[in-house]
Each structure stands twice: as structure tokens, then as C-alpha cells.
């Protein structure tokens, strides 16, 4: 029995922080987990930058409402969910994910949560669990499932490498170079074909 575990940003939807960077005119916020493998360091830096600029949750959510899934993402996800149990495992936050899940047909997502002051200032964040992507994959495996995983960033590598089959999707040249044993795809049809091949085993 298989469960496919997908990253969210960069795989199914555009990078939220990149979109917010472009909308807010703060180029520094384009830095993502594709660039910085230390997620805690990245998030603390982002929140410090938001506080310096007087920006909070409302401003980010206004941008997220304008974000649509990547072209072809919903059709890919709909097809995959028709053939295999599928969950999204993301390091994003419930306050960011909700409108995106509606546009993707309400798939299951495991993610984290922001702590927000009454005035909308983001004061911190709570991880669902440490090493959340790997921990979730291991938990699914402990229940008797084999996992297939795909993502694009440093923080996806652990769940990809721990799965029965794992694939990079629209990742960076550096990550591909660092992990040449992992198959890397740029098109949904190719990723779906690779997942189907594993499902037949």
C-alpha cells in the first residue's frame, strides 16, 4: 500500500514568499528553502525582516489570495488522488495554506502554524513536529504504508531519500548536482509516470 507525499510550494503552487517579495518590493524575501537548508534560520530572518518593515499576516494573506496553482498542478493532483492516496507535507502554515487548498480541491495537508499577535504581527511559528517531513513519512511507514515522495528543496530531501521511491521536481541545478542519484523531473506527466511505475511494483 502506497501513500504519495508531495511538497506544496514549487511543486503545486508558486513560492509564497517569492510572490510576497515581488508584491511588497522586498527582494530579500525571495530567499527560500531552495537557497537556505536551515529552515529555522530562514524563518527567523524572514520574521525579523517583516517586523522591520511593519508587515504582518494580513498583508501576506492578501497576496496569497491572488496566487493560483501552477499550470497543470490541479489536473496532476486530481489524477494522482484518483490512483493513490496522496498527502501534501509542507513547511508552510495553516494561515497561508487554506486558500491554496481550496483552489486545489481540498487535498489533505500537514503543515505548521504561525503565532500571531492581535494586531496581525507574526511573532513566531510552531512546527508540527521536528523534521516534520521525514517524521511524517516515517510515521506513515510505521502504519504499514510504503511512501513515494516528491519535492523541490533542501527540506524535502530527507522524505525523498527515506521513501520507497523519491523524485525531485523543478528543483535547482545545485540540488540536482548534489544528489545525482535522484531522478529529477520538470513536467507533471513525467512525474506522474514515475509514480505510476512505482505503484505497479
Amino acid at each position: 500500500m502506497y501513500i504519495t507525499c508531495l511538497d506544496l510550494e514549487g511543486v503545486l503552487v508558486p513560492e509564497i514568499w517569492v510572490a510576497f517579495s515581488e508584491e511588497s518590493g522586498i527582494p530579500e524575501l525571495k530567499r527560500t528553502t531552495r537557497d537556505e537548508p536551515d529552515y529555522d534560520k530562514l524563518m527567523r530572518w524572514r520574521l525579523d525582516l517583516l517586523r522591520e518593515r511593519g508587515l504582518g499576516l494580513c498583508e501576506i494573506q492578501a497576496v496569497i489570495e491572488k496566487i493560483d496553482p501552477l499550470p497543470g498542478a490541479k489536473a496532476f493532483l486530481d489524477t494522482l488522488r484518483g490512483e493513490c492516496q496522496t498527502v501534501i507535507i509542507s513547511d508552510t502554515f495553516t494561515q497561508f495554506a487554506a486558500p491554496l487548498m481550496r483552489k486545489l480541491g481540498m487535498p489533505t495537508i500537514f503543515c505548521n502554524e504561525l503565532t500571531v499577535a492581535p494586531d496581525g504581527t507574526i511573532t513566531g511559528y510552531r512546527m508540527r513536529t521536528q523534521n516534520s517531513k521525514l517524521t511524517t513519512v516515517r510515521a506513515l511507514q510505521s502504519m504499514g504504508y510504503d511512501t513515494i515522495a516528491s519535492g523541490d528543496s533542501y527540506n524535502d530531501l530527507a522524505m525523498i531519500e527515506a521513501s520507497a521511491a523519491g523524485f525531485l521536481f523543478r528543483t535547482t541545478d545545485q540540488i540536482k548536482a548534489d544528489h545525482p542519484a535522484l531522478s529529477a523531473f520538470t513536467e507533471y506527466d513525467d512525474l506522474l509516470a514515475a509514480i505510476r511505475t512505482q505503484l505497479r511494483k
Side-chain angles (χ1 to χ4, degrees):
M1 293 182 289
Y2 282 102
I3 291 184
T4 298
C5 304
L6 300 175
D7 180 35
L8 177 64
E9 295 176 67
V11 175
L12 298 172
V13 303
E15 293 280 353
I16 292 169
W17 289 99
V18 172
F20 185 66
S21 167
E22 293 169 352
E23 186 82 12
S24 64
I26 306 173
E28 297 94 327
L29 285 174
K30 288 186 177 179
R31 189 168 179 79
T32 71
T33 51
R34 288 176 170 221
D35 312 297
E36 173 55 66
D38 187 329
Y39 187 73
D40 182 66
K41 178 180 177 182
L42 177 64
M43 275 304 302
R44 290 182 185 280
W45 177 79
R46 285 168 169 167
L47 297 186
D48 286 345
L49 194 55
L50 291 177
R51 282 190 290 269
E52 289 171 9
R53 302 298 182 97
L55 298 170
L57 180 59
C58 290
E59 288 82 4
I60 299 174
Q61 286 178 326
V63 173
I64 293 171
E65 288 289 346
K66 302 176 187 177
I67 295 175
D68 289 321
L70 292 166
K74 187 175 185 302
F76 160 76
L77 186 59
D78 287 346
T79 300
L80 182 60
R81 291 170 72 191
E83 300 180 21
C84 176
Q85 294 296 316
T86 303
V87 297
I88 298 170
I89 307 175
S90 175
D91 279 339
T92 194
F93 307 97
T94 56
Q95 295 94 332
F96 290 1
L100 299 171
M101 293 304 99
R102 289 193 292 272
K103 292 178 182 181
L104 286 169
M106 294 305 292
T108 298
I109 183 169
F110 301 143
C111 59
N112 306 305
E113 189 165 347
L114 295 168
T115 54
V116 184
D119 66 356
T121 300
I122 302 173
T123 57
Y125 67 98
R126 291 192 295 269
M127 299 295 284
R128 182 171 46 81
T129 183
Q130 291 298 313
N131 301 313
S132 60
K133 296 188 179 188
L134 175 60
T135 301
T136 302
V137 162
R138 290 296 192 208
L140 292 170
Q141 292 166 351
S142 76
M143 293 187 290
Y145 291 98
D146 288 320
T147 58
I148 302 168
S150 184
D152 69 324
S153 298
Y154 284 106
N155 64 337
D156 299 312
L157 291 170
M159 75 169 181
I160 289 172
E161 293 173 337
S163 292
F167 311 107
L168 295 168
F169 187 73
R170 297 183 182 175
T171 191
T172 66
D173 289 340
Q174 185 62 58
I175 292 176
K176 285 190 288 187
D178 290 343
H179 300 272
L182 295 177
S183 298
F185 303 108
T186 58
E187 301 299 327
Y188 290 114
D189 286 348
D190 294 333
L191 177 58
L192 183 60
I195 293 170
R196 282 171 168 164
T197 296
Q198 185 64 33
L199 291 174
R200 288 194 291 268
K201 291 183 178 180

